[in-house]
PDB file of all heavy atoms in Angstrom:
ATOM      1  N   ALA J   1     114.669  90.437 100.850  1.00 98.00           N
ATOM      2  CA  ALA J   1     116.045  90.512 101.318  1.00 98.00           C
ATOM      3  C   ALA J   1     116.146  90.828 102.796  1.00 98.00           C
ATOM      4  O   ALA J   1     116.981  90.242 103.512  1.00 98.00           O
ATOM      5  CB  ALA J   1     116.816  91.539 100.489  1.00 98.00           C
ATOM      6  N   ILE J   2     115.304  91.722 103.262  1.00 98.00           N
ATOM      7  CA  ILE J   2     115.311  92.048 104.704  1.00 98.00           C
ATOM      8  C   ILE J   2     114.896  90.817 105.518  1.00 98.00           C
ATOM      9  O   ILE J   2     115.554  90.483 106.503  1.00 98.00           O
ATOM     10  CB  ILE J   2     114.390  93.240 104.981  1.00 98.00           C
ATOM     11  CG1 ILE J   2     114.958  94.532 104.374  1.00 98.00           C
ATOM     12  CG2 ILE J   2     114.188  93.439 106.507  1.00 98.00           C
ATOM     13  CD1 ILE J   2     114.009  95.703 104.386  1.00 98.00           C
ATOM     14  N   VAL J   3     113.821  90.156 105.110  1.00 98.00           N
ATOM     15  CA  VAL J   3     113.364  88.960 105.845  1.00 98.00           C
ATOM     16  C   VAL J   3     114.461  87.881 105.826  1.00 98.00           C
ATOM     17  O   VAL J   3     114.715  87.258 106.859  1.00 98.00           O
ATOM     18  CB  VAL J   3     112.029  88.427 105.290  1.00 98.00           C
ATOM     19  CG1 VAL J   3     111.694  87.067 105.849  1.00 98.00           C
ATOM     20  CG2 VAL J   3     110.917  89.420 105.598  1.00 98.00           C
ATOM     21  N   GLU J   4     115.117  87.669 104.710  1.00 98.00           N
ATOM     22  CA  GLU J   4     116.198  86.670 104.644  1.00 98.00           C
ATOM     23  C   GLU J   4     117.313  87.046 105.611  1.00 98.00           C
ATOM     24  O   GLU J   4     117.876  86.180 106.305  1.00 98.00           O
ATOM     25  CB  GLU J   4     116.719  86.543 103.227  1.00 98.00           C
ATOM     26  CG  GLU J   4     115.758  85.813 102.302  1.00 98.00           C
ATOM     27  CD  GLU J   4     116.149  85.846 100.825  1.00 98.00           C
ATOM     28  OE1 GLU J   4     117.186  86.527 100.485  1.00 98.00           O
ATOM     29  OE2 GLU J   4     115.446  85.224 100.023  1.00 98.00           O
ATOM     30  N   GLY J   5     117.668  88.312 105.708  1.00 98.00           N
ATOM     31  CA  GLY J   5     118.693  88.764 106.655  1.00 98.00           C
ATOM     32  C   GLY J   5     118.259  88.536 108.102  1.00 98.00           C
ATOM     33  O   GLY J   5     119.070  88.084 108.932  1.00 98.00           O
ATOM     34  N   LEU J   6     116.989  88.816 108.382  1.00 98.00           N
ATOM     35  CA  LEU J   6     116.487  88.599 109.755  1.00 98.00           C
ATOM     36  C   LEU J   6     116.416  87.116 110.074  1.00 98.00           C
ATOM     37  O   LEU J   6     116.721  86.720 111.210  1.00 98.00           O
ATOM     38  CB  LEU J   6     115.109  89.245 109.908  1.00 98.00           C
ATOM     39  CG  LEU J   6     115.083  90.770 109.764  1.00 98.00           C
ATOM     40  CD1 LEU J   6     113.644  91.271 109.728  1.00 98.00           C
ATOM     41  CD2 LEU J   6     115.856  91.461 110.888  1.00 98.00           C
ATOM     42  N   GLU J   7     116.077  86.277 109.109  1.00 98.00           N
ATOM     43  CA  GLU J   7     116.063  84.830 109.339  1.00 98.00           C
ATOM     44  C   GLU J   7     117.477  84.331 109.617  1.00 98.00           C
ATOM     45  O   GLU J   7     117.676  83.467 110.490  1.00 98.00           O
ATOM     46  CB  GLU J   7     115.467  84.084 108.137  1.00 98.00           C
ATOM     47  CG  GLU J   7     113.954  84.273 108.072  1.00 98.00           C
ATOM     48  CD  GLU J   7     113.360  83.510 106.881  1.00 98.00           C
ATOM     49  OE1 GLU J   7     114.101  82.838 106.113  1.00 98.00           O
ATOM     50  OE2 GLU J   7     112.119  83.602 106.721  1.00 98.00           O
ATOM     51  N   GLN J   8     118.458  84.854 108.900  1.00 98.00           N
ATOM     52  CA  GLN J   8     119.845  84.454 109.171  1.00 98.00           C
ATOM     53  C   GLN J   8     120.259  84.864 110.590  1.00 98.00           C
ATOM     54  O   GLN J   8     120.896  84.096 111.313  1.00 98.00           O
ATOM     55  CB  GLN J   8     120.794  85.070 108.145  1.00 98.00           C
ATOM     56  CG  GLN J   8     122.224  84.604 108.296  1.00 98.00           C
ATOM     57  CD  GLN J   8     122.341  83.068 108.280  1.00 98.00           C
ATOM     58  OE1 GLN J   8     121.793  82.391 107.413  1.00 98.00           O
ATOM     59  NE2 GLN J   8     123.036  82.513 109.255  1.00 98.00           N
ATOM     60  N   SER J   9     119.868  86.057 111.009  1.00 98.00           N
ATOM     61  CA  SER J   9     120.148  86.514 112.389  1.00 98.00           C
ATOM     62  C   SER J   9     119.486  85.566 113.383  1.00 98.00           C
ATOM     63  O   SER J   9     120.066  85.200 114.409  1.00 98.00           O
ATOM     64  CB  SER J   9     119.672  87.919 112.616  1.00 98.00           C
ATOM     65  OG  SER J   9     120.396  88.809 111.817  1.00 98.00           O
ATOM     66  N   ALA J  10     118.239  85.165 113.091  1.00 98.00           N
ATOM     67  CA  ALA J  10     117.512  84.240 113.971  1.00 98.00           C
ATOM     68  C   ALA J  10     118.259  82.924 114.100  1.00 98.00           C
ATOM     69  O   ALA J  10     118.373  82.377 115.207  1.00 98.00           O
ATOM     70  CB  ALA J  10     116.090  84.043 113.459  1.00 98.00           C
ATOM     71  N   ARG J  11     118.712  82.400 113.004  1.00 98.00           N
ATOM     72  CA  ARG J  11     119.461  81.144 113.038  1.00 98.00           C
ATOM     73  C   ARG J  11     120.754  81.283 113.834  1.00 98.00           C
ATOM     74  O   ARG J  11     121.099  80.412 114.647  1.00 98.00           O
ATOM     75  CB  ARG J  11     119.797  80.661 111.606  1.00 98.00           C
ATOM     76  CG  ARG J  11     118.615  80.106 110.868  1.00 98.00           C
ATOM     77  CD  ARG J  11     119.005  79.577 109.489  1.00 98.00           C
ATOM     78  NE  ARG J  11     117.838  79.162 108.748  1.00 98.00           N
ATOM     79  CZ  ARG J  11     117.174  79.973 107.901  1.00 98.00           C
ATOM     80  NH1 ARG J  11     117.564  81.190 107.653  1.00 98.00           N
ATOM     81  NH2 ARG J  11     116.109  79.490 107.279  1.00 98.00           N
ATOM     82  N   THR J  12     121.437  82.407 113.648  1.00 98.00           N
ATOM     83  CA  THR J  12     122.676  82.651 114.423  1.00 98.00           C
ATOM     84  C   THR J  12     122.388  82.683 115.905  1.00 98.00           C
ATOM     85  O   THR J  12     123.207  82.226 116.715  1.00 98.00           O
ATOM     86  CB  THR J  12     123.295  83.999 113.952  1.00 98.00           C
ATOM     87  OG1 THR J  12     123.631  83.897 112.564  1.00 98.00           O
ATOM     88  CG2 THR J  12     124.548  84.323 114.734  1.00 98.00           C
ATOM     89  N   LEU J  13     121.227  83.213 116.292  1.00 98.00           N
ATOM     90  CA  LEU J  13     120.845  83.277 117.720  1.00 98.00           C
ATOM     91  C   LEU J  13     120.298  81.933 118.222  1.00 98.00           C
ATOM     92  O   LEU J  13     119.971  81.825 119.415  1.00 98.00           O
ATOM     93  CB  LEU J  13     119.785  84.381 117.913  1.00 98.00           C
ATOM     94  CG  LEU J  13     120.286  85.785 117.756  1.00 98.00           C
ATOM     95  CD1 LEU J  13     119.142  86.773 117.698  1.00 98.00           C
ATOM     96  CD2 LEU J  13     121.267  86.148 118.860  1.00 98.00           C
ATOM     97  N   GLY J  14     120.154  80.947 117.354  1.00 98.00           N
ATOM     98  CA  GLY J  14     119.665  79.658 117.792  1.00 98.00           C
ATOM     99  C   GLY J  14     118.148  79.536 117.824  1.00 98.00           C
ATOM    100  O   GLY J  14     117.585  78.604 118.406  1.00 98.00           O
ATOM    101  N   LEU J  15     117.458  80.470 117.206  1.00 98.00           N
ATOM    102  CA  LEU J  15     115.980  80.423 117.192  1.00 98.00           C
ATOM    103  C   LEU J  15     115.512  79.367 116.185  1.00 98.00           C
ATOM    104  O   LEU J  15     116.166  79.132 115.172  1.00 98.00           O
ATOM    105  CB  LEU J  15     115.394  81.788 116.834  1.00 98.00           C
ATOM    106  CG  LEU J  15     115.790  82.941 117.764  1.00 98.00           C
ATOM    107  CD1 LEU J  15     115.160  84.233 117.289  1.00 98.00           C
ATOM    108  CD2 LEU J  15     115.448  82.650 119.208  1.00 98.00           C
ATOM    109  N   LYS J  16     114.419  78.729 116.496  1.00 97.00           N
ATOM    110  CA  LYS J  16     113.853  77.675 115.641  1.00 97.00           C
ATOM    111  C   LYS J  16     112.553  78.072 114.980  1.00 97.00           C
ATOM    112  O   LYS J  16     112.141  77.455 114.011  1.00 97.00           O
ATOM    113  CB  LYS J  16     113.581  76.400 116.491  1.00 97.00           C
ATOM    114  CG  LYS J  16     114.806  75.912 117.247  1.00 97.00           C
ATOM    115  CD  LYS J  16     115.828  75.328 116.294  1.00 97.00           C
ATOM    116  CE  LYS J  16     116.953  74.700 117.099  1.00 97.00           C
ATOM    117  NZ  LYS J  16     118.264  75.156 116.683  1.00 97.00           N
ATOM    118  N   ARG J  17     111.871  79.120 115.544  1.00 94.00           N
ATOM    119  CA  ARG J  17     110.584  79.534 115.012  1.00 94.00           C
ATOM    120  C   ARG J  17     110.547  81.056 114.940  1.00 94.00           C
ATOM    121  O   ARG J  17     111.083  81.718 115.811  1.00 94.00           O
ATOM    122  CB  ARG J  17     109.438  79.027 115.867  1.00 94.00           C
ATOM    123  CG  ARG J  17     109.383  77.522 115.978  1.00 94.00           C
ATOM    124  CD  ARG J  17     108.243  77.046 116.874  1.00 94.00           C
ATOM    125  NE  ARG J  17     108.403  77.551 118.234  1.00 94.00           N
ATOM    126  CZ  ARG J  17     107.418  77.629 119.123  1.00 94.00           C
ATOM    127  NH1 ARG J  17     106.201  77.234 118.806  1.00 94.00           N
ATOM    128  NH2 ARG J  17     107.639  78.094 120.339  1.00 94.00           N
ATOM    129  N   LEU J  18     109.852  81.543 113.902  1.00 96.00           N
ATOM    130  CA  LEU J  18     109.648  82.986 113.763  1.00 96.00           C
ATOM    131  C   LEU J  18     108.159  83.267 113.632  1.00 96.00           C
ATOM    132  O   LEU J  18     107.457  82.628 112.885  1.00 96.00           O
ATOM    133  CB  LEU J  18     110.360  83.517 112.508  1.00 96.00           C
ATOM    134  CG  LEU J  18     111.862  83.674 112.610  1.00 96.00           C
ATOM    135  CD1 LEU J  18     112.428  84.161 111.271  1.00 96.00           C
ATOM    136  CD2 LEU J  18     112.243  84.640 113.711  1.00 96.00           C
ATOM    137  N   PHE J  19     107.711  84.284 114.374  1.00 92.00           N
ATOM    138  CA  PHE J  19     106.346  84.730 114.390  1.00 92.00           C
ATOM    139  C   PHE J  19     106.249  86.065 113.658  1.00 92.00           C
ATOM    140  O   PHE J  19     107.218  86.819 113.612  1.00 92.00           O
ATOM    141  CB  PHE J  19     105.907  84.926 115.842  1.00 92.00           C
ATOM    142  CG  PHE J  19     104.634  85.695 116.023  1.00 92.00           C
ATOM    143  CD1 PHE J  19     103.411  85.103 115.774  1.00 92.00           C
ATOM    144  CD2 PHE J  19     104.664  87.005 116.482  1.00 92.00           C
ATOM    145  CE1 PHE J  19     102.211  85.825 115.955  1.00 92.00           C
ATOM    146  CE2 PHE J  19     103.491  87.731 116.677  1.00 92.00           C
ATOM    147  CZ  PHE J  19     102.272  87.141 116.389  1.00 92.00           C
ATOM    148  N   CYS J  20     105.112  86.328 113.047  1.00 94.00           N
ATOM    149  CA  CYS J  20     104.811  87.669 112.559  1.00 94.00           C
ATOM    150  C   CYS J  20     103.318  87.913 112.661  1.00 94.00           C
ATOM    151  O   CYS J  20     102.528  86.958 112.643  1.00 94.00           O
ATOM    152  CB  CYS J  20     105.316  87.905 111.147  1.00 94.00           C
ATOM    153  SG  CYS J  20     104.397  87.022 109.864  1.00 94.00           S
ATOM    154  N   LEU J  21     102.925  89.114 112.793  1.00 89.00           N
ATOM    155  CA  LEU J  21     101.528  89.552 112.797  1.00 89.00           C
ATOM    156  C   LEU J  21     101.414  90.509 111.624  1.00 89.00           C
ATOM    157  O   LEU J  21     102.093  91.533 111.579  1.00 89.00           O
ATOM    158  CB  LEU J  21     101.188  90.273 114.116  1.00 89.00           C
ATOM    159  CG  LEU J  21      99.768  90.756 114.225  1.00 89.00           C
ATOM    160  CD1 LEU J  21      98.817  89.586 114.447  1.00 89.00           C
ATOM    161  CD2 LEU J  21      99.619  91.743 115.376  1.00 89.00           C
ATOM    162  N   THR J  22     100.592  90.158 110.621  1.00 92.00           N
ATOM    163  CA  THR J  22     100.671  90.896 109.377  1.00 92.00           C
ATOM    164  C   THR J  22      99.356  90.970 108.629  1.00 92.00           C
ATOM    165  O   THR J  22      98.492  90.107 108.776  1.00 92.00           O
ATOM    166  CB  THR J  22     101.744  90.243 108.454  1.00 92.00           C
ATOM    167  OG1 THR J  22     101.911  91.011 107.300  1.00 92.00           O
ATOM    168  CG2 THR J  22     101.321  88.797 108.063  1.00 92.00           C
ATOM    169  N   PHE J  23      99.254  92.006 107.782  1.00 91.00           N
ATOM    170  CA  PHE J  23      98.211  92.076 106.773  1.00 91.00           C
ATOM    171  C   PHE J  23      98.714  91.453 105.486  1.00 91.00           C
ATOM    172  O   PHE J  23      97.931  91.155 104.586  1.00 91.00           O
ATOM    173  CB  PHE J  23      97.843  93.545 106.484  1.00 91.00           C
ATOM    174  CG  PHE J  23      97.092  94.227 107.601  1.00 91.00           C
ATOM    175  CD1 PHE J  23      97.700  95.194 108.391  1.00 91.00           C
ATOM    176  CD2 PHE J  23      95.787  93.912 107.875  1.00 91.00           C
ATOM    177  CE1 PHE J  23      97.007  95.839 109.400  1.00 91.00           C
ATOM    178  CE2 PHE J  23      95.075  94.529 108.897  1.00 91.00           C
ATOM    179  CZ  PHE J  23      95.675  95.491 109.651  1.00 91.00           C
ATOM    180  N   GLU J  24     100.033  91.285 105.361  1.00 94.00           N
ATOM    181  CA  GLU J  24     100.660  90.822 104.105  1.00 94.00           C
ATOM    182  C   GLU J  24     100.801  89.305 104.120  1.00 94.00           C
ATOM    183  O   GLU J  24     101.914  88.756 104.079  1.00 94.00           O
ATOM    184  CB  GLU J  24     102.024  91.518 103.911  1.00 94.00           C
ATOM    185  CG  GLU J  24     101.952  93.014 103.862  1.00 94.00           C
ATOM    186  CD  GLU J  24     101.167  93.523 102.657  1.00 94.00           C
ATOM    187  OE1 GLU J  24     101.087  92.809 101.638  1.00 94.00           O
ATOM    188  OE2 GLU J  24     100.604  94.630 102.759  1.00 94.00           O
ATOM    189  N   VAL J  25      99.671  88.615 104.183  1.00 95.00           N
ATOM    190  CA  VAL J  25      99.655  87.160 104.302  1.00 95.00           C
ATOM    191  C   VAL J  25     100.338  86.478 103.120  1.00 95.00           C
ATOM    192  O   VAL J  25     101.126  85.559 103.301  1.00 95.00           O
ATOM    193  CB  VAL J  25      98.216  86.653 104.477  1.00 95.00           C
ATOM    194  CG1 VAL J  25      98.163  85.116 104.487  1.00 95.00           C
ATOM    195  CG2 VAL J  25      97.619  87.220 105.770  1.00 95.00           C
ATOM    196  N   ASP J  26     100.064  86.925 101.918  1.00 97.00           N
ATOM    197  CA  ASP J  26     100.651  86.302 100.725  1.00 97.00           C
ATOM    198  C   ASP J  26     102.167  86.409 100.727  1.00 97.00           C
ATOM    199  O   ASP J  26     102.871  85.461 100.452  1.00 97.00           O
ATOM    200  CB  ASP J  26     100.106  86.900  99.422  1.00 97.00           C
ATOM    201  CG  ASP J  26      98.639  86.558  99.217  1.00 97.00           C
ATOM    202  OD1 ASP J  26      98.121  85.601  99.842  1.00 97.00           O
ATOM    203  OD2 ASP J  26      97.983  87.242  98.390  1.00 97.00           O
ATOM    204  N   PHE J  27     102.681  87.595 101.079  1.00 97.00           N
ATOM    205  CA  PHE J  27     104.136  87.805 101.141  1.00 97.00           C
ATOM    206  C   PHE J  27     104.766  86.820 102.125  1.00 97.00           C
ATOM    207  O   PHE J  27     105.743  86.145 101.789  1.00 97.00           O
ATOM    208  CB  PHE J  27     104.443  89.253 101.569  1.00 97.00           C
ATOM    209  CG  PHE J  27     105.913  89.507 101.844  1.00 97.00           C
ATOM    210  CD1 PHE J  27     106.775  89.792 100.817  1.00 97.00           C
ATOM    211  CD2 PHE J  27     106.402  89.431 103.158  1.00 97.00           C
ATOM    212  CE1 PHE J  27     108.124  90.020 101.073  1.00 97.00           C
ATOM    213  CE2 PHE J  27     107.733  89.671 103.429  1.00 97.00           C
ATOM    214  CZ  PHE J  27     108.616  89.940 102.394  1.00 97.00           C
ATOM    215  N   PHE J  28     104.215  86.727 103.327  1.00 98.00           N
ATOM    216  CA  PHE J  28     104.811  85.833 104.323  1.00 98.00           C
ATOM    217  C   PHE J  28     104.580  84.355 104.003  1.00 98.00           C
ATOM    218  O   PHE J  28     105.411  83.527 104.294  1.00 98.00           O
ATOM    219  CB  PHE J  28     104.334  86.213 105.723  1.00 98.00           C
ATOM    220  CG  PHE J  28     105.068  87.388 106.306  1.00 98.00           C
ATOM    221  CD1 PHE J  28     104.519  88.651 106.266  1.00 98.00           C
ATOM    222  CD2 PHE J  28     106.356  87.247 106.844  1.00 98.00           C
ATOM    223  CE1 PHE J  28     105.210  89.769 106.773  1.00 98.00           C
ATOM    224  CE2 PHE J  28     107.043  88.339 107.343  1.00 98.00           C
ATOM    225  CZ  PHE J  28     106.484  89.594 107.309  1.00 98.00           C
ATOM    226  N   THR J  29     103.468  84.033 103.359  1.00 97.00           N
ATOM    227  CA  THR J  29     103.243  82.652 102.902  1.00 97.00           C
ATOM    228  C   THR J  29     104.337  82.241 101.943  1.00 97.00           C
ATOM    229  O   THR J  29     104.879  81.131 102.031  1.00 97.00           O
ATOM    230  CB  THR J  29     101.848  82.503 102.294  1.00 97.00           C
ATOM    231  OG1 THR J  29     100.884  82.815 103.311  1.00 97.00           O
ATOM    232  CG2 THR J  29     101.616  81.093 101.804  1.00 97.00           C
ATOM    233  N   ARG J  30     104.684  83.126 101.020  1.00 97.00           N
ATOM    234  CA  ARG J  30     105.748  82.825 100.039  1.00 97.00           C
ATOM    235  C   ARG J  30     107.094  82.648 100.742  1.00 97.00           C
ATOM    236  O   ARG J  30     107.986  82.008 100.212  1.00 97.00           O
ATOM    237  CB  ARG J  30     105.848  83.917  98.999  1.00 97.00           C
ATOM    238  CG  ARG J  30     104.689  83.943  98.016  1.00 97.00           C
ATOM    239  CD  ARG J  30     104.947  84.856  96.824  1.00 97.00           C
ATOM    240  NE  ARG J  30     105.241  86.233  97.157  1.00 97.00           N
ATOM    241  CZ  ARG J  30     104.301  87.178  97.358  1.00 97.00           C
ATOM    242  NH1 ARG J  30     103.008  86.896  97.228  1.00 97.00           N
ATOM    243  NH2 ARG J  30     104.674  88.423  97.635  1.00 97.00           N
ATOM    244  N   ARG J  31     107.252  83.200 101.932  1.00 97.00           N
ATOM    245  CA  ARG J  31     108.500  83.064 102.708  1.00 97.00           C
ATOM    246  C   ARG J  31     108.465  81.840 103.638  1.00 97.00           C
ATOM    247  O   ARG J  31     109.352  81.648 104.454  1.00 97.00           O
ATOM    248  CB  ARG J  31     108.753  84.301 103.567  1.00 97.00           C
ATOM    249  CG  ARG J  31     108.617  85.634 102.872  1.00 97.00           C
ATOM    250  CD  ARG J  31     109.887  86.140 102.262  1.00 97.00           C
ATOM    251  NE  ARG J  31     110.072  85.822 100.878  1.00 97.00           N
ATOM    252  CZ  ARG J  31     109.349  86.272  99.861  1.00 97.00           C
ATOM    253  NH1 ARG J  31     108.330  87.046 100.038  1.00 97.00           N
ATOM    254  NH2 ARG J  31     109.633  85.934  98.617  1.00 97.00           N
ATOM    255  N   GLY J  32     107.389  81.036 103.580  1.00 98.00           N
ATOM    256  CA  GLY J  32     107.311  79.815 104.397  1.00 98.00           C
ATOM    257  C   GLY J  32     106.554  79.932 105.708  1.00 98.00           C
ATOM    258  O   GLY J  32     106.556  79.016 106.489  1.00 98.00           O
ATOM    259  N   PHE J  33     105.919  81.070 105.943  1.00 97.00           N
ATOM    260  CA  PHE J  33     105.076  81.250 107.130  1.00 97.00           C
ATOM    261  C   PHE J  33     103.693  80.683 106.885  1.00 97.00           C
ATOM    262  O   PHE J  33     103.228  80.631 105.755  1.00 97.00           O
ATOM    263  CB  PHE J  33     104.945  82.742 107.477  1.00 97.00           C
ATOM    264  CG  PHE J  33     106.186  83.368 108.058  1.00 97.00           C
ATOM    265  CD1 PHE J  33     107.284  83.670 107.238  1.00 97.00           C
ATOM    266  CD2 PHE J  33     106.261  83.660 109.401  1.00 97.00           C
ATOM    267  CE1 PHE J  33     108.417  84.260 107.784  1.00 97.00           C
ATOM    268  CE2 PHE J  33     107.412  84.237 109.938  1.00 97.00           C
ATOM    269  CZ  PHE J  33     108.495  84.541 109.124  1.00 97.00           C
TER     270      PHE J  33
END
């Protein structure tokens, strides 16, 4: 839910790509990273 909210904010700002640096690869892979 937090990531979805941040992605919506990114879209509102006109961003096209999101970066993350993470140990939680599976979590972010499921979110499309």
Side-chain angles (χ1 to χ4, degrees):
I2 293 169
V3 169
E4 287 171 356
L6 295 171
E7 287 181 1
Q8 185 55 48
S9 295
R11 286 183 185 93
T12 299
L13 290 169
L15 303 179
K16 305 288 186 232
R17 300 179 299 160
L18 285 177
F19 166 75
C20 70
L21 180 73
T22 186
F23 289 108
E24 302 296 334
V25 174
D26 291 343
F27 172 84
F28 280 99
T29 298
R30 289 191 303 273
R31 312 270 94 66
F33 287 75

